[in-house]
Amino acid sequence: MKLPKLYNLSSFILLTSLLLLAESAEPPVTCDPSHPSSKLYPFCNTTLPISQRVEDIISRLTLDEKISQLVNTAPPIPRLGIPAYQWWSEALHGVAFVSNSTYGIQFNGKIRAATSFPQVILTAASFDAHLWYRIGQVIGREARALFNAGQARGLTFWAPNINIYRDPRWGRGQETPGEDPLVSGKYAMSFVRGVQGDSFQGGKLGQHLQASACCKHFTAYDLDNWKGVSRFVFDANVTLQDLADTYQPSFYGCIQQGRASGIMCAYNRVNGVPNCADYNLLSKTARKQWDFQGQKVYDCHCWGFSKQITECCLFMLNQTLNHNFAGMDVNCGTYLQDHTKSAVKKNKLPESQIDRALQNLFSVRMRLGLFNGNPAKQPFGNIGFNQVCSKKHQHLALDAARDGIVLLKNHARLLPLSRAKTRSLAVIGPNANIPHTLLGNYEGPPCKTVTPLQALQKYVKKTRYHPGCNTISCSSALIEEAVQIAKEADQVVLIMGLDQTEEREDFDRLDLLLPGKQKKLITSIARVAKKPVVLVLLCGGPVDVSFAKYDQNVGSILWAGYPGEAGGLALAEIIFGDHNPGGRLPVTWYPQSFTKTPMTDMRMRAEPSSGYPGRTYRFYQGPKVFDFGYGLSYSNYSYKFLSVTQKKLYFNQHPSEHINRKSNPIRFVSVSEMGTKLCEKSKFTVKVGVENSGEMAGKHPVLLFVRHSRVGKGNPMKQLIGFQSVNLKAGERAEIEFELSPCQHLSRANEDGLMVIEEGFYFLIMENKEYEIRVVI
């Protein structure tokens, strides 16, 4: 159809304006209300509902234009004045860059860096949901500042990674909040609310997004490349029971509670079905049960399908019930751009399914304000470049590192070191003076970095340094030189561990030991040092340091993850007592013997008859180097259960329907059949007292667990049900209140994947204290 002259003229004006905006490094937006041409299009009318505005856009697109928008690098549509958009940006623990400079964020203008927070696994060790929210807030604000400065081609960020850290060898475990479903779910909820501009409590977001968060990778993804098994072909055999109470809760928290505007499916298959083609997972569960309203991203390319590329497009896009396909929206890569038209022409894919995907995609862009005209006049339009790397943001990065670092050993109270008495210091190790190691992966250029060596030098002027190893792999250890330096120092700090050459995306570990000759270097130095040495471990995943745990010459061990731009300073403050460590491990540290367990075995629950030990603190029945939740402090904390409002809970909801006394003599009730009203009514509170009986003030996470008296038969050995951080001065006491819901905190998944509450005795656990409650059915 030939377009009216006015339509052509207005398109020309809009295209010219877009080109001028691009040349002046302005944000890629359209529909400036001050321009008369914008009134031609209903999609520019901000008084209309977003759904109606999006329908108007879609109605104006040709098939080729529609298909062009289904990939992460969406080109402009000049005749409608629609600018290009880049769906792929990263912000795992700070606004980051992707290796290809054409994607996402650019640090080539006024803004050259962004605040780099600790890698997620260390941030999770703080067990502080409000800290996670504040980090998300900063990342969202700095992302918007980059966009407002014209240095971002999009505002959709493929973070957070909330897969359960099931196996300690996983190269990407560093990106996650750890192994516990409750922690992962709360992290997702808090981080997403912060990034998107919601309140900490949620519910105040409205239709405007500060930036868009995308939870990944949905679901049961925690293997990249192990002994020839690749994530692209791995078929994860997962029970309904494990899916319900381990792999899915974090995504529920992200979508249903955090209200994330994006989710990304995983490369792998689950029980034979590619995640990105699973209708039950992506459409039935996410959209219908959890009310997901955003856009669904297919991780790069089209892995897991047959050789027929059109089949890939069909499975990804089609959401028709009679085919049970997934209903994806946007593809990382070019497969949909290259092959979707063929699927349509062959009548394998209705155009209506492309329209459905575009509805979700343009709705997110609308919520980001990209069709509302001048961004300076919109919500979040006043966030300027001067807010990036502000002192406030950098101080938060320091706080996050301080609160996450975990003290694993402190024999005879070696730490903190005395600044006055430490006249000379030896700092030895391959991780002591490499700034980039502090950042982990999916990193951006930091505002500034201070290495552990540089920070320690500010405390002790007479500090000598030696790397000890040629690289982190330590294939060649310079032990004699390092030993000589150690002999002459009052105190020795060894900074060892891993880096991205040892653990990363697409690279899983084969063992849990320190690389190369690191162990030999540590023991050689510890043997000759004047006093027991301090061992610092920079690593995302657990390492078996049993030798150091039981070596009296190793006085203290600190785990610092990848602590971000301020990690060196935080370490020095802890070592010399300017900060009291309070972090707790968010993942179990297994011994080297665990590597006999195949990484491909997805079962969570132990099977003693076959020797399968199970996984994570909830089900693992084997030796440990350090427990989940373990962490020391320079202070001593004591705990006391003060009150529990319900000591006996009654659930008399026709239990006979669920009882077979021969096969299962234990009474139980289904959570789904109890209903929301009864679940709400059954909530109760637990009040606990905490006292800091030490000589230093400290921030301390309080962890509350529960266990059923009947361990086994699918019940976890214990389960985290609540956590809060408390700041206490020396000698100070505080009271903390937990609100517990039996439907959430006392339930477990049965073999059919249904959440049930069993009758019997439950024990609330806080450190070495227990409190008994009873459930009657």
Side-chain angles (χ1 to χ4, degrees):
M1 182 179 69
K2 188 176 181 180
L3 298 174
K5 289 184 179 180
L6 179 60
Y7 191 93
N8 287 331
L9 177 61
S10 63
S11 298
F12 173 77
I13 293 172
L14 282 172
L15 176 59
T16 303
S17 300
L18 286 170
L19 292 173
L20 290 173
L21 286 172
E23 291 177 1
S24 60
E26 293 292 329
V29 295
T30 191
C31 297
D32 187 343
S34 65
H35 200 289
S37 62
S38 67
K39 298 177 183 178
L40 293 170
Y41 306 121
F43 67 75
C44 290
N45 185 350
T46 57
T47 64
L48 295 176
I50 284 179
S51 60
Q52 190 173 334
R53 296 172 67 192
V54 171
E55 287 176 6
D56 181 66
I57 292 178
I58 296 172
S59 71
R60 298 175 185 277
L61 301 180
T62 67
L63 177 60
D64 287 337
E65 288 170 337
K66 290 178 181 179
I67 292 172
S68 75
Q69 300 298 300
L70 298 177
V71 293
N72 64 280
T73 305
I77 305 174
R79 67 182 185 84
L80 296 178
I82 297 175
Y85 188 78
Q86 178 53 250
W87 289 94
W88 186 358
S89 294
E90 300 286 356
L92 182 68
H93 53 106
V95 182
F97 46 58
V98 184
S99 56
N100 188 329
S101 62
T102 63
Y103 294 171
I105 301 296
Q106 298 178 7
F107 291 97
N108 59 356
K110 290 181 180 179
I111 303 172
R112 298 280 178 169
T115 307
S116 183
F117 293 95
Q119 183 60 289
V120 178
I121 192 68
L122 186 73
T123 299
S126 68
F127 286 87
D128 185 343
H130 194 256
L131 173 66
W132 305 336
Y133 169 76
R134 291 163 62 205
I135 289 173
Q137 272 189 313
V138 168
I139 291 173
R141 290 186 71 81
E142 293 197 350
R144 182 61 79 154
L146 279 152
F147 182 84
N148 292 342
Q151 291 181 230
R153 292 184 170 92
L155 278 167
T156 40
F157 294 87
W158 293 352
N161 181 345
I162 54 171
N163 292 114
I164 294 299
Y165 197 173
R166 173 190 62 98
D167 192 289
R169 292 162 287 188
W170 187 30
R172 301 189 72 176
Q174 60 180 293
E175 302 174 26
T176 76
E179 69 182 37
D180 181 75
L182 177 69
V183 172
S184 296
K186 283 199 172 183
Y187 178 88
M189 177 185 69
S190 305
F191 181 86
V192 166
R193 286 176 177 175
V195 168
Q196 295 192 160
D198 203 351
S199 65
F200 175 64
Q201 298 297 337
K204 295 185 178 181
L205 183 60
Q207 69 175 13
H208 296 292
L209 293 170
Q210 176 175 249
S212 171
C214 174
C215 291
K216 61 185 186 185
H217 309 79
F218 197 37
T219 189
Y221 162 52
D222 49 17
L223 179 150
D224 267 58
N225 194 342
W226 180 80
K227 291 188 176 182
V229 180
S230 166
R231 58 184 174 175
F232 303 129
V233 298
F234 178 53
D235 187 2
N237 188 1
V238 183
T239 67
L240 294 175
Q241 190 174 35
D242 288 340
L243 197 65
D245 70 2
T246 297
Y247 296 108
Q248 296 293 68
S250 57
F251 289 98
Y252 175 83
C254 175
I255 294 169
Q256 217 282 327
Q257 298 171 318
R259 311 307 297 177
S261 51
I263 56 172
M264 177 185 287
C265 58
Y267 287 117
N268 57 288
R269 296 170 181 251
V270 172
N271 299 328
V273 181
N275 271 306
C276 294
D278 193 333
Y279 171 82
N280 287 325
L281 179 69
L282 294 166
S283 293
K284 187 177 179 180
T285 299
R287 288 214 186 274
K288 294 186 177 181
Q289 293 181 12
W290 297 348
D291 192 31
F292 175 61
Q293 299 295 322
Q295 44 90 20
K296 293 186 286 190
V297 182
Y298 188 107
D299 210 345
C300 298
H301 307 301
C302 227
W303 304 99
F305 293 89
S306 71
K307 295 180 180 179
Q308 294 295 323
I309 300 299
T310 54
E311 182 183 335
C312 165
C313 305
L314 176 65
F315 272 85
M316 285 176 61
L317 288 169
N318 206 338
Q319 191 179 258
T320 53
L321 286 172
N322 59 324
H323 288 99
N324 283 348
F325 296 153
M328 297 302 299
D329 300 322
V330 64
N331 166 220
C332 168
T334 62
Y335 274 58
L336 289 185
Q337 193 174 56
D338 297 338
H339 303 288
T340 298
K341 191 170 185 178
S342 175
V344 174
K345 295 299 183 183
K346 293 178 181 178
N347 294 320
K348 291 187 174 183
L349 178 70
E351 191 172 345
S352 61
Q353 292 303 313
I354 299 176
D355 293 347
R356 177 207 53 75
L358 294 176
Q359 182 77 35
N360 296 325
L361 295 176
F362 280 111
S363 292
V364 171
R365 290 173 69 174
M366 287 276 187
R367 293 185 67 194
L368 289 165
L370 307 187
F371 289 81
N372 295 351
N374 184 357
K377 299 180 181 179
Q378 306 302 324
F380 313 114
N382 62 344
I383 301 176
F385 70 91
N386 59 335
Q387 294 197 36
V388 180
C389 288
S390 67
K391 289 183 178 180
K392 181 179 179 181
H393 292 180
Q394 291 184 64
H395 189 77
L396 183 61
L398 176 59
D399 275 346
R402 287 167 172 164
D403 294 348
I405 293 172
V406 182
L407 179 63
L408 296 173
K409 178 182 179 180
N410 199 24
H411 181 67
R413 299 199 172 187
L414 173 64
L415 291 179
L417 300 181
S418 168
R419 190 170 184 175
K421 295 179 181 179
T422 306
R423 294 167 295 178
S424 61
L425 182 68
V427 179
I428 299 170
N431 271 338
N433 199 35
I434 301 179
H436 194 259
T437 299
L438 299 172
L439 306 182
N441 68 352
Y442 280 93
E443 78 285 8
C447 307
K448 61 181 181 181
T449 53
V450 178
T451 67
L453 172 63
Q454 292 167 338
L456 290 167
Q457 286 172 330
K458 294 180 180 179
Y459 281 85
V460 182
K461 290 184 178 180
K462 189 178 179 181
T463 296
R464 295 186 66 186
Y465 160 68
H466 195 283
C469 299
N470 56 338
T471 63
I472 199 69
S473 64
C474 206
S475 58
S476 175
L478 309 172
I479 294 177
E480 291 185 8
E481 296 175 27
V483 162
Q484 190 58 42
I485 292 174
K487 283 181 177 180
E488 299 170 358
D490 288 344
Q491 299 282 358
V492 178
V493 177
L494 297 167
I495 304 180
M496 316 297 284
L498 310 174
D499 65 9
Q500 300 308 301
T501 66
E502 297 289 329
E503 55 175 351
R504 64 181 184 276
E505 184 172 358
D506 201 32
F507 189 84
D508 299 323
R509 288 186 287 162
L510 295 177
D511 62 50
L512 300 177
L513 302 175
L514 288 172
K517 298 179 180 179
Q518 283 197 38
K519 176 182 176 181
K520 185 177 181 180
L521 177 65
I522 293 168
T523 55
S524 298
I525 290 174
R527 193 180 305 118
V528 301
K530 294 178 181 179
K531 298 176 182 178
V533 301
V534 177
L535 174 61
V536 175
L537 299 170
L538 296 184
C539 53
V543 288
D544 184 349
V545 288
S546 300
F547 73 94
K549 178 180 179 180
Y550 299 110
D551 187 342
Q552 62 181 359
N553 294 318
V554 178
S556 298
I557 304 175
L558 286 162
W559 174 66
Y562 297 117
E565 65 174 44
L569 179 56
L571 265 171
E573 289 182 346
I574 289 172
I575 289 171
F576 281 95
D578 286 338
H579 183 79
N580 191 350
R584 292 178 174 230
L585 291 179
V587 63
T588 301
W589 281 36
Y590 300 84
Q592 171 67 2
S593 60
F594 184 81
T595 58
K596 296 176 183 177
T597 303
M599 195 172 173
T600 50
D601 195 324
M602 300 292 291
R603 290 176 295 168
M604 299 303 299
R605 289 157 169 84
E607 189 180 78
S609 61
S610 66
Y612 183 69
R615 296 178 183 275
T616 77
Y617 78 96
R618 296 159 63 224
F619 303 107
Y620 174 63
Q621 298 178 11
K624 303 171 187 175
V625 181
F626 294 109
D627 288 319
F628 170 90
Y630 179 77
L632 303 174
S633 169
Y634 297 154
S635 295
N636 296 317
Y637 294 91
S638 58
Y639 307 86
K640 185 178 182 180
F641 284 100
L642 299 178
S643 66
V644 178
T645 56
Q646 293 288 342
K647 299 180 182 180
K648 186 178 288 188
L649 301 165
Y650 294 91
F651 298 106
N652 298 313
Q653 298 294 308
H654 307 292
S656 59
E657 297 177 9
H658 311 292
I659 300 170
N660 183 328
R661 286 296 176 182
K662 293 182 179 180
S663 61
N664 184 8
I666 304 299
R667 291 176 178 265
F668 63 90
V669 61
S670 168
V671 170
S672 62
E673 293 185 10
M674 284 176 59
T676 303
K677 187 175 181 180
L678 183 56
C679 284
E680 284 292 320
K681 185 179 179 181
S682 65
K683 288 181 177 179
F684 63 99
T685 59
V686 176
K687 187 177 292 185
V688 301
V690 187
E691 181 179 359
N692 179 354
S693 56
E695 299 177 353
M696 289 185 66
K699 182 179 178 182
H700 181 66
V702 179
L703 309 186
L704 180 64
F705 295 86
V706 70
R707 69 173 176 87
H708 194 281
S709 59
R710 184 171 168 264
V711 176
K713 301 296 183 181
N715 284 320
M717 291 181 288
K718 67 176 181 178
Q719 170 77 49
L720 184 68
I721 57 174
F723 56 90
Q724 293 186 42
S725 284
V726 59
N727 281 290
L728 294 176
K729 298 176 182 177
E732 188 177 9
R733 299 178 181 179
E735 293 183 1
I736 297 175
E737 189 171 279
F738 294 93
E739 182 183 68
L740 300 184
S741 167
C743 293
Q744 178 185 359
H745 300 119
L746 301 185
S747 64
R748 71 163 182 90
N750 67 12
E751 292 182 355
D752 296 321
L754 299 176
M755 302 306 294
V756 298
I757 301 175
E758 289 187 358
E759 68 176 356
F761 293 96
Y762 291 76
F763 297 91
L764 303 177
I765 307 168
M766 192 170 48
E767 296 298 325
N768 59 348
K769 305 290 184 180
E770 288 192 353
Y771 190 97
E772 182 184 279
I773 59 175
R774 186 181 178 187
V775 170
V776 179
I777 295 177

